[in-house]
Amino acid sequence: VDRSRGANPLREREDLLREAERLTGIRDREQLVAEALKALVSREASIRLARLGGTMPTFRPSERERP
């Protein structure tokens, strides 16, 4: 991909954007990209948290207050 001409990388993913619009109902591209980034960050944070599982064998969860 030649980016020297100021090509918009999102145009190259038009089919993916249209599918995301169809699935989410979000028509505003800026909002759609923001939601996609939030989902990506959430997914990656979950993966990192899962990788930590079992790395603190002496950890004891605190008692939760129940209503």
Side-chain angles (χ1 to χ4, degrees), residues 1-64:
V1 177
D2 181 12
R3 296 185 196 276
S4 62
R5 294 183 183 167
N8 183 344
L10 293 181
R11 275 195 204 124
E12 298 166 11
R13 301 291 185 189
E14 194 67 33
D15 56 334
L16 189 57
L17 286 165
R18 278 196 300 274
E19 179 71 2
E21 286 177 348
R22 185 184 70 76
L23 291 171
T24 64
I26 299 172
R27 299 287 178 246
D28 179 64
R29 291 283 170 99
E30 190 173 325
Q31 183 183 359
L32 186 65
V33 171
E35 290 299 319
L37 289 172
K38 287 179 195 176
L40 177 64
V41 167
S42 177
R43 184 187 75 193
E44 293 301 317
S46 294
I47 291 169
R48 289 182 72 183
L49 184 58
R51 284 184 188 142
L52 287 174
T55 61
M56 296 177 65
T58 61
F59 177 76
R60 300 280 180 248
S62 61
E63 292 293 320
R64 295 184 348 171

